[in-house]
Amino acid sequence: MALGAGFATGHVASAEGKLMSFTSLKAQDSVMSSAIIAMFKNDPKFIEVSKKATKAILQRDEEDGVKLQQGIDLAIGKGVIPAKIVVEPVCKIDVTGKSAAVVAQEIITGLGEAAANGCVMTLQGLSGTGKGTTVATLKSKLPRTTTWSNGNIFRSLTLLAATHAEQNNVSLQEACSPKLLASYCEMLTFGKFNGKFDVKIDGLGYDMLVSEVANTVLKGPKVGRNIPTVAGVTQGEVINFVQSALKIMADDGMTVLLEGREQTLNYIRTPHRFELVLADVNTIGMRRAAQRMGATALKEIEREQTWYSKVFGGPSEKDVASKLSKVLDDMAKE
């Protein structure tokens, strides 16, 4: 079915809020999500789809949190990290009805001069509260700002553990003893290499920079098949490595944005701590449903658009609402 001067129209009576332009749909941002929520917030199908999404997200967050805590407890048992820590106060920001730009500005205001001088900032919150979008917005607004991901550190330790196992004909579990894990950490160095911050792997025959092998060696089968095992026993080692790396960057005048879960972020020392929250937890599912609706509707509209529609301004607001309604119908049947 082609979308031309007039799209095939479905029911749009469910759209309670102001209709959305095709330009807004193409933005695929938090403003788009909020507009879709406003349009369909009273639609029974949207409410049901949102509730299911909220339940799934909260369940996954809880399961991930349990696994993460097991790794933390293991690290405490090994004496790698302390059992008791004093966590600095966390500034909670209610993101209900706010765009990523507004949320980011609240955080920037909270950072004050620290953002200009260099600091470490942590951002936590349930999945679906907009942490990733907020971090991306902050990165675009703040000077000398970077993000940090623990992924390549876990991958580097996995590479070393798997290599030790191969070279010494032992199991991966034997290669992950506390003593050996400590030795692998000593083979990782964070600092400036070739004028930029990087991690150097130097040991067991390796002499390379993580940035140069992140998409090759560190994503090869040796790492891929072993990372679940190694990551499960190296939470503490990675936390300590990261803490040191973050301080080096902050001392160099950079603002480092660290997004993650509370269990690990609690071990990162910084006074600049923020948490994104929602007054109504069901909004998480509404956001996720709106994101899916927007992405699917855009894909279908672009596929069905005719040359006439492209030349003469694209689909109308009613066309967009009709397509969103159809997508919602399909999602409700899942």
Side-chain angles (χ1 to χ4, degrees):
M1 176 176 62
L3 295 175
F7 286 25
T9 57
H11 71 279
V12 295
S14 60
E16 302 288 345
K18 183 179 178 181
L19 297 182
M20 181 192 307
S21 70
F22 185 52
T23 299
S24 297
L25 181 67
K26 288 194 294 184
Q28 293 290 300
D29 56 10
S30 59
V31 176
M32 177 209 71
S33 297
S34 295
I36 292 177
I37 291 173
M39 291 172 65
F40 293 93
K41 62 183 179 182
N42 295 321
D43 187 303
K45 291 182 180 179
F46 183 76
I47 293 172
E48 184 62 25
V49 168
S50 298
K51 285 182 178 179
K52 289 181 179 178
T54 297
K55 182 178 179 180
I57 291 170
L58 294 180
Q59 181 177 345
R60 187 175 64 251
D61 271 6
E62 183 178 358
E63 292 172 352
D64 290 346
V66 170
K67 293 178 182 178
L68 189 56
Q69 189 59 52
Q70 290 174 344
I72 296 294
D73 292 341
L74 178 62
I76 292 173
K78 293 190 296 184
V80 176
I81 55 177
K84 295 183 179 180
I85 52 175
V86 177
V87 181
E88 299 84 351
V90 178
C91 175
K92 295 188 177 183
I93 298 178
D94 188 343
V95 300
T96 305
K98 298 176 183 176
S99 67
V102 171
V103 174
Q105 188 55 54
E106 288 188 33
I107 292 176
I108 292 173
T109 300
L111 289 174
E113 295 183 359
N117 299 328
C119 67
V120 174
M121 189 209 91
T122 63
L123 184 65
Q124 62 195 50
L126 293 171
S127 296
T129 52
K131 298 187 299 298
T133 306
T134 299
V135 166
T137 305
L138 286 169
K139 191 175 180 181
S140 69
K141 290 177 174 292
L142 294 171
R144 296 203 67 201
T145 301
T146 188
T147 55
W148 177 272
S149 172
N150 293 340
N152 282 334
I153 308 305
F154 281 116
R155 289 181 175 276
S156 298
L157 290 174
T158 299
L159 175 66
L160 293 170
T163 300
H164 176 90
E166 290 179 351
Q167 293 178 349
N168 294 275
N169 195 29
V170 297
S171 68
L172 184 64
Q173 287 72 19
E174 291 175 293
C176 289
S177 69
K179 183 177 180 179
L180 285 173
L181 289 177
S183 72
Y184 306 149
C185 289
E186 293 178 356
M187 298 175 193
L188 303 181
T189 304
F190 182 84
K192 277 192 174 181
F193 301 92
N194 302 322
K196 62 179 182 180
F197 285 114
D198 209 332
V199 177
K200 184 177 183 180
I201 304 175
D202 187 6
L204 301 184
Y206 296 110
D207 183 4
M208 55 194 184
L209 297 177
V210 164
S211 65
E212 297 175 352
V213 296
N215 294 318
T216 53
V217 177
L218 295 185
K219 288 190 177 178
K222 179 188 291 189
V223 173
R225 64 173 175 265
N226 292 311
I227 193 169
T229 298
V230 178
V233 297
T234 54
Q235 289 289 344
E237 286 80 2
V238 171
I239 286 172
N240 288 336
F241 184 90
V242 170
Q243 180 73 64
S244 175
L246 296 177
K247 184 178 186 305
I248 291 172
M249 287 189 284
D251 288 347
D252 194 59
M254 297 192 71
T255 296
V256 189
L257 309 178
L258 189 63
E259 171 204 342
R261 297 186 179 276
E262 181 179 358
Q263 290 96 328
T264 53
L265 293 182
N266 282 346
Y267 281 88
I268 302 300
R269 301 278 59 81
T270 176
H272 311 294
R273 317 180 76 88
F274 297 87
E275 179 177 0
L276 303 187
V277 299
L278 288 161
D280 180 3
V281 72
N282 288 314
T283 305
I284 293 175
M286 295 172 71
R287 285 184 165 198
R288 186 60 54 85
Q291 289 167 352
R292 284 189 60 198
M293 288 172 63
T296 305
L298 177 62
K299 182 178 180 179
E300 292 188 5
I301 288 175
E302 290 181 333
R303 185 181 66 244
E304 298 168 0
Q305 239 183 323
T306 65
W307 69 268
Y308 185 93
S309 177
K310 293 178 181 178
V311 172
F312 293 97
S316 68
E317 291 182 345
K318 286 187 177 180
D319 294 330
V320 172
S322 176
K323 178 58 70 176
L324 287 169
S325 293
K326 177 184 177 300
V327 170
L328 177 59
D329 286 344
D330 292 340
M331 290 171 58
K333 297 174 184 176
E334 296 176 349

